[in-house]
Amino acid sequence: MKPLASRLEQIIPSASMAIAQRISDKTDTGRKTIDLTWGQPDFDTFEHIKEAAFEAVRSGKNGYTNSSGIPELRQAISDFHASRYGAAYNPHAEIIVTPGVKQGLMYLIQAMVDPGDEVVLFEPCWLSYRDMILLNGGIPRFIPAGGSLKPDVSGIEDFINEKTKAILINNPINPSGYVFSRSELEFIAEVAEKHDLYVIADEIYDRIVFTGFTSLSVFQNLRERLVVANGFSKAYAMTGWRIGYLLGCERILSKVSLIHQHTATCAAAASQHAALAALKGDQRLIDEHVEIYRRRRDYLVEEFKESIFQIVPPDGTFYAMIKVPDFLRNVTNKSEYVLEHYGIATVDGLSYGQSARDYVRISFAAGMDKLEEAVRRFKKSDKSASVERLSFSEIKKPH
Ligand code: PLP
């Protein structure tokens, strides 16, 4: 048979899906696995949001919508973004509602990248970016992280050449929870301008922050070259509703709209009405959840202080990177080891780039009972570390 498209050859399956498979395998063996892989809130979508969707369905709002999204939702997104960040986007030409942020990002890369074009990204980063770029014939250029996985912002120009088309920045960062400072963003904006680059800003975790946050949309010099992707999955616990949006200038979004029209047509109508209710509803509900994430984060940071596993304290998101102790450095798959030996499911750091190879990612979108049990198991491993060091047969000799 003829081979499938060659662009699929470099694509790798999602690391979290692979570990999900391993977790279900694991439950047969007796000890209950603590699943800390979750990339979604551990609470349900708020009732008023669900009600808005039921109401939309019952009242017959079940057809295709305007491809860019129902006008009320685009207006609400524009108002919300302007009031939060002071950046105005015209709801008629500068906003597209998409079936999730993921799809919006795919559109952007498709719209900006020709085969052979390079896209610069900071490690560690969400690995779907890599595959989206490769699927469009582009080349991802990863900037290795510095100590404690800090993005090497000052080193960015070393990774830019005549083939570079765009910078893709995720702020706050999945997996490390790093939040870029205003001055770092200002520098990135200057670099983009100087080298005539597009900027894609994935700000999906902008609401889940424990510190100040600056949206790239505040930098006016980026107005014609920036598109911000954001959505409802994380802040409003709406991962299954598949709803997000893009904010950017008309020159770019009018082209992105062509891709959207010919692929999804529009985001699901009921999800758009639900998203409208999310933005119009009481935003203090989000703050309450962020407070819960903050408490869990503080608990983990405190507990890991005394451990041979080191946490990188996150300033945003509901993830944290845990550095494994030295005796595990030569284990190829750290998350596999943590699962096998401690019964804790994590995502392997390598999924987020070479810089994160000595780390595993945990999610604290999980109840305190699970986090406490995970901490207990990590701590127990501290005590047995010396025994493990002698007995672990999978440790490969460095080469
Ligand atoms: N961007 C980042 C950094 C993410 O972590 C995720 C989901 O895990 C997404 C985008 C996807 O968001 P959505 O559910 O809106 O497609």
Side-chain angles (χ1 to χ4, degrees):
M1 251 201 268
K2 288 186 179 172
L4 294 172
S6 56
R7 64 176 169 274
L8 288 171
E9 278 159 23
Q10 294 181 80
I11 306 307
I12 49 177
S14 149
S16 36
M17 302 224 173
I19 197 87
Q21 178 56 38
R22 291 279 298 114
I23 300 168
S24 48
D25 295 340
K26 191 75 197 152
T27 43
D28 304 335
T29 66
R31 178 160 62 162
K32 196 157 169 37
T33 300
I34 312 278
D35 183 0
L36 299 186
T37 62
W38 274 47
Q40 58 185 341
D42 57 320
F43 56 93
D44 195 9
T45 309
F46 301 116
E47 287 306 315
H48 67 282
I49 297 177
K50 292 193 230 174
E51 271 315 313
F54 290 142
E55 184 47 36
V57 170
R58 276 194 295 263
S59 61
K61 293 175 179 158
N62 297 311
Y64 294 128
T65 71
N66 178 302
S67 179
S68 294
I70 55 172
E72 314 88 285
L73 177 57
R74 280 182 282 143
Q75 184 66 57
I77 292 167
S78 173
D79 294 345
F80 187 79
H81 195 84
S83 72
R84 196 167 172 85
Y85 299 119
Y89 286 90
N90 176 353
H92 306 294
E94 296 183 318
I95 296 179
I96 299 177
V97 177
T98 57
V101 169
K102 212 176 210 176
Q103 183 117 1
L105 291 168
M106 188 71 175
Y107 292 162
L108 291 178
I109 295 165
Q110 228 165 356
M112 292 175 183
V113 169
D114 273 322
D117 284 348
E118 297 189 3
V119 179
V120 171
L121 311 109
F122 294 102
E123 277 191 357
C125 64
W126 188 51
L127 221 76
S128 287
Y129 299 138
R130 168 196 178 274
D131 296 287
M132 288 181 192
I133 295 165
L134 290 172
L135 276 170
N136 288 295
I139 301 166
R141 277 279 163 248
F142 296 106
I143 307 173
S148 300
L149 298 179
K150 189 171 164 21
D152 181 14
V153 175
S154 60
I156 189 171
E157 286 188 283
D158 296 344
F159 293 81
I160 293 173
N161 59 48
E162 67 289 348
K163 286 189 178 161
T164 313
K165 199 71 172 285
I167 301 169
L168 199 169
I169 173 168
N170 175 212
N171 186 28
I173 294 181
N174 170 10
S176 63
Y178 185 83
V179 177
F180 288 84
S181 69
R182 192 182 172 97
S183 61
E184 285 173 329
L185 296 171
E186 207 160 9
F187 179 70
I188 293 167
E190 277 165 21
V191 168
E193 209 183 351
K194 178 172 159 198
H195 296 275
D196 188 19
L197 303 175
Y198 289 108
V199 180
I200 300 172
D202 177 355
E203 298 186 353
I204 190 167
Y205 295 98
D206 69 333
R207 307 285 294 280
I208 307 172
V209 285
F210 319 120
T211 175
F213 172 82
T214 306
S215 167
L216 263 174
S217 58
V218 306
F219 298 104
Q220 274 308 309
N221 57 337
L222 281 187
R223 195 66 176 75
E224 298 303 310
R225 54 181 79 251
L226 166 78
V227 182
V228 174
N230 208 332
F232 297 84
S233 287
K234 312 293 176 172
Y236 297 96
M238 292 176 70
T239 49
W241 297 76
R242 312 309 304 127
I243 185 97
Y245 56 88
L246 300 173
L247 303 169
C249 69
E250 186 170 2
R251 188 181 76 82
I252 304 174
L253 285 203
S254 59
K255 298 296 183 196
V256 170
S257 160
L258 299 176
I259 306 173
H260 181 51
Q261 288 168 30
H262 291 296
T263 48
T265 304
C266 61
S271 296
Q272 294 191 51
H273 288 280
L276 178 61
L279 286 181
K280 295 270 184 199
D282 188 350
Q283 302 303 308
R284 283 173 304 188
L285 294 170
I286 311 292
D287 300 338
E288 283 167 21
H289 283 283
V290 173
E291 209 33 55
I292 293 171
Y293 294 135
R294 181 200 297 276
R295 283 203 291 274
R296 293 173 184 173
R297 172 224 182 253
D298 291 349
Y299 166 76
L300 291 169
V301 170
E302 191 55 36
E303 291 293 328
F304 274 102
K305 264 187 193 154
E306 304 297 322
S307 172
I308 54 170
F309 288 87
Q310 290 162 22
I311 192 167
V312 180
D315 284 330
T317 75
F318 39 61
Y319 309 110
M321 292 299 265
I322 308 288
K323 191 170 192 180
V324 302
D326 285 345
F327 77 96
L328 290 183
R329 290 294 147 79
N330 294 322
V331 173
T332 325
N333 189 323
K334 272 82 176 175
S335 66
E336 189 78 15
Y337 181 93
V338 171
L339 180 62
E340 274 302 320
H341 290 250
Y342 315 137
I344 306 167
T346 59
V347 184
D348 197 70
L350 257 186
S351 329
Y352 306 104
Q354 281 294 330
S355 314
R357 64 188 170 278
D358 291 333
Y359 293 78
V360 293
R361 188 196 76 174
I362 60 168
S363 160
F364 47 95
M368 274 308 282
D369 50 339
K370 278 192 183 173
L371 297 178
E372 281 165 5
E373 176 57 21
V375 162
R376 243 190 312 276
R377 291 188 191 182
F378 272 118
K379 284 194 164 167
K380 207 166 146 204
S381 76
D382 286 1
K383 292 199 192 86
S384 56
S386 51
V387 180
E388 301 252 4
R389 213 170 314 186
L390 295 172
S391 68
F392 183 46
S393 56
E394 280 175 62
I395 296 179
K396 299 206 171 52
K397 295 231 159 39
H399 34 258

